[in-house]
Amino acid sequence: MDMKKRIHLELRNRTPSDVRELVLDNCRSNEGKIEGLTAEFVNLEFLSLINVGLISVSNLPKLSKLKKLELSDNRISGALDVLAEKLPNLTHLNLSGNKLKDISTLEPLKKLDSLKSLDLFNCEVTNLNDYRESVFKLLPRLTYLDGYDLEDKEASDSDGEVDGVDEDDDEEDEDEDGEDFDEEDDDDDEDEEVEREEEDEEVSGEEEEEDGQDGEVDDEDEEEEEVEEEEDDDEDEEGGKGEKRKREPEDEDDDEDDEEDD
């Protein structure tokens, strides 16, 4: 895909002024030059043109807000003057894998007052004696060369990466995510407590119902016992009366015998 068409696709119905980051890696340049990129990308902060066949950056548009430029794995051999002219606020420049042979080809970078990080991996210039000392002497404002400072201390992630995204925003997002997780955990704990309370209430309610049923059964048993006792008493009374009625005729016969004897 050619570079102009790729830029059109990357816009995704946005205007150039809305774009802060533009990645055009592995597309085809026009005769080794940038094509389709204009000064309308006024808010562009990160531009990546890795392996696009660039020979020159001479037609690079003015991008005043650009901070990081990726130009690795191209065929650039010099003519870097345009970078200082068109990219005055550039802080990170990656020229790894290009055809830069001499320290002198880097001299135009002295005009980049904000340049902090420069990468020249796999360029012939890195094979020169005293390469690192020479570059740091040429560019005294430079902090990191090929990921390390003058004392061979490795660049931190915050110094090595500027992708058009504010790290503070990332940290805030992480904090918000952490708060969301904490809130979810608290909600889960509250739900579990409510469920336990409801279960306890249900169990206690069932126990009360069982106790109530047991009480009703006991009352019924007591009533049945009282009825049985009353029935027994009635039977005893009736039995007593019957015995009396049976003895009365005998008593009368005894009285008649006594009178005849007299």
Side-chain angles (χ1 to χ4, degrees):
M1 182 183 297
D2 63 62
M3 188 178 294
K4 193 172 183 179
K5 185 175 182 181
R6 177 71 175 272
I7 291 173
H8 178 72
L9 291 175
E10 290 291 333
L11 283 173
R12 299 188 188 91
N13 297 321
R14 296 176 296 174
T15 62
S17 61
D18 293 331
V19 180
R20 294 178 61 193
E21 179 176 342
L22 188 60
V23 178
L24 305 174
D25 300 348
N26 303 311
C27 65
R28 293 191 305 273
S29 60
N30 180 25
E31 296 181 353
K33 295 182 180 180
I34 296 170
E35 181 186 27
L37 187 65
T38 68
E40 292 177 323
F41 289 84
V42 292
N43 293 311
L44 193 64
E45 295 181 6
F46 173 68
L47 174 62
S48 184
L49 293 165
I50 297 174
N51 189 32
V52 296
L54 286 181
I55 296 174
S56 169
V57 290
S58 59
N59 60 339
L60 187 72
K62 185 167 181 112
L63 302 170
S64 298
K65 291 188 177 182
L66 195 73
K67 294 179 180 179
K68 183 172 183 180
L69 178 61
E70 291 278 352
L71 293 172
S72 57
D73 299 328
N74 285 291
R75 293 178 290 163
I76 299 169
S77 58
L80 300 179
D81 305 71
V82 69
L83 296 180
E85 180 186 345
K86 301 294 181 67
L87 312 175
N89 292 306
L90 194 67
T91 60
H92 294 70
L93 175 61
N94 191 342
L95 288 166
S96 300
N98 280 281
K99 299 186 179 298
L100 302 171
K101 299 179 181 180
D102 303 316
I103 295 292
S104 59
T105 60
L106 304 176
E107 288 221 13
L109 301 182
K110 292 195 308 185
K111 297 177 183 178
L112 288 170
D113 295 336
S114 300
L115 190 64
K116 291 171 54 181
S117 177
L118 174 64
D119 290 311
L120 298 169
F121 289 112
N122 297 324
C123 291
E124 289 186 41
V125 67
T126 61
N127 297 324
L128 298 176
N129 292 330
D130 300 326
Y131 152 70
R132 290 182 59 80
E133 289 79 1
S134 299
V135 174
F136 276 115
K137 185 178 180 180
L138 178 68
L139 306 172
R141 296 185 183 88
L142 194 67
T143 305
Y144 298 104
L145 175 61
D146 300 331
Y148 291 85
D149 66 10
L150 187 58
E151 298 178 354
D152 288 333
K153 291 182 180 179
E154 189 174 4
S156 63
D157 292 339
S158 59
D159 289 328
E161 297 294 334
V162 178
D163 292 340
V165 178
D166 195 345
E167 290 181 359
D168 293 337
D169 293 340
D170 293 339
E171 291 177 359
E172 289 177 2
D173 291 340
E174 290 176 0
D175 292 339
E176 289 176 359
D177 292 340
E179 290 175 0
D180 291 339
F181 287 132
D182 292 338
E183 290 177 359
E184 289 177 1
D185 291 339
D186 293 338
D187 293 339
D188 292 339
D189 293 338
E190 291 177 359
D191 292 339
E192 289 178 359
E193 289 179 3
V194 171
E195 289 178 359
R196 283 197 295 270
E197 290 176 359
E198 290 177 353
E199 289 176 357
D200 292 340
E201 289 177 358
E202 290 177 359
V203 170
S204 60
E206 291 175 357
E207 289 177 352
E208 289 177 359
E209 289 179 2
E210 290 177 357
D211 292 340
Q213 291 176 356
D214 292 341
E216 292 176 0
V217 171
D218 292 339
D219 292 339
E220 291 177 359
D221 292 340
E222 289 177 0
E223 290 178 0
E224 290 178 358
E225 288 177 0
E226 289 177 0
V227 170
E228 288 177 357
E229 289 176 359
E230 290 177 358
E231 290 177 353
D232 291 340
D233 292 340
D234 293 339
E235 288 178 359
D236 291 341
E237 289 178 1
E238 290 178 358
K241 290 179 182 179
E243 288 176 359
K244 289 180 182 179
R245 284 195 296 272
K246 287 178 183 179
R247 285 197 298 272
E248 285 176 358
E250 292 176 357
D251 294 340
E252 289 178 355
D253 291 339
D254 291 339
D255 292 342
E256 288 178 357
D257 292 337
D258 290 341
E259 288 176 357
E260 286 178 357
D261 290 339
D262 290 340

